[in-house]
Amino acid sequence: MRIFLSFHGADAIPSIDKAHLATLPPKSKVLDLGCGAGIPIAERLCLAGHAVTGVDSSARQIEIARERVCRATFLQSDMMTVDLPVSSIDGGAAFYSITHVAATEQGLLLSRIGEWLKPAGVFVGSFGTGSAHDWVGKWLGTEMFFSHNSDAVTFDFVRQAGLQMVRAEVVQQDNEDARFLWIVARKMN
């Protein structure tokens, strides 16, 4: 299953999505951080039989997600402050959302993800490449906040969160002039 297909095209981010899904036990509890309207990530995870909780700060996006992906649970909340139980998820996804969190807070967010994951739980997420703290730019037709750390700092944050790197890959977007660092990591026991 290619969970990026509808947004990125058939060749985007080779096998990272498969690596994530293949390691999830059937009927896993999966968190989609920055879920937007729930498509394609929450939708595809639900179709694969997983119990999905999506989190997004936009009331409108959550409203749309609830209409489009009725089998998932959606919470309107900032991903930095959402309250989730420790060791409550088998998998976590953050596709194109962590870049909208201040670089100085991304380590804390990864630590929270590490706390939410069950032992051996899997996280896959995209990060900006190279250091670019706090800037605003146009994306998807609107002004948005962006921030990211160097790859080395991001790798350190992943390790400090108790996650073991499974795979890291910088991928050029096929539909825009941008590169993202994709990370698959597993919570250490």
Side-chain angles (χ1 to χ4, degrees):
M1 174 181 289
R2 302 278 313 181
I3 56 181
F4 299 92
L5 194 57
S6 66
F7 184 73
H8 302 287
D11 296 324
I13 310 146
S15 77
I16 287 184
D17 55 342
K18 290 179 184 175
H20 180 97
L21 287 175
T23 60
L24 291 173
K27 300 182 182 180
S28 289
K29 292 182 179 178
V30 184
L31 179 65
D32 182 3
L33 287 171
C35 65
I39 295 174
I41 309 308
E43 177 186 53
R44 299 283 174 94
L45 288 167
C46 282
L47 289 173
H50 301 298
V52 178
T53 299
V55 175
D56 201 281
S57 61
S58 167
R60 180 66 182 135
Q61 292 297 314
I62 291 296
E63 179 183 334
I64 294 167
R66 287 177 178 150
E67 292 170 4
R68 291 184 175 176
V69 191
C70 56
R71 290 179 22 200
T73 300
F74 292 100
L75 306 174
Q76 182 193 351
S77 181
D78 184 312
M79 69 178 82
M80 290 298 299
T81 59
V82 66
D83 187 23
L84 300 171
V86 171
S87 297
S88 61
I89 60 171
D90 300 294
F95 297 4
Y96 306 103
S97 57
I98 293 178
T99 57
H100 302 292
V101 173
T104 55
E105 296 181 357
Q106 291 177 13
L108 175 59
L109 177 58
L110 281 165
S111 292
R112 297 189 78 218
I113 292 167
E115 291 173 2
W116 298 330
L117 284 168
K118 294 177 183 177
V122 176
F123 168 74
V124 62
S126 62
F127 298 83
T129 59
S131 184
H133 289 265
D134 301 359
W135 58 283
V136 175
K138 201 159 194 111
W139 190 56
L140 300 177
T142 190
E143 293 287 317
M144 289 194 175
F145 171 84
F146 295 91
S147 191
H148 47 90
N149 296 289
S150 69
D151 297 2
V153 169
T154 299
F155 295 151
D156 284 343
F157 285 160
V158 169
R159 285 188 286 274
Q160 291 167 9
L163 304 175
Q164 181 178 18
M165 200 86 63
V166 173
R167 182 172 179 181
E169 180 178 349
V170 174
V171 177
Q172 178 71 41
Q173 286 299 112
D174 60 354
N175 59 350
E176 59 186 85
D177 185 28
R179 293 166 35 107
F180 289 88
L181 170 63
W182 287 89
I183 293 177
V184 178
R186 182 176 299 280
K187 182 174 182 174
M188 295 180 277
N189 294 331

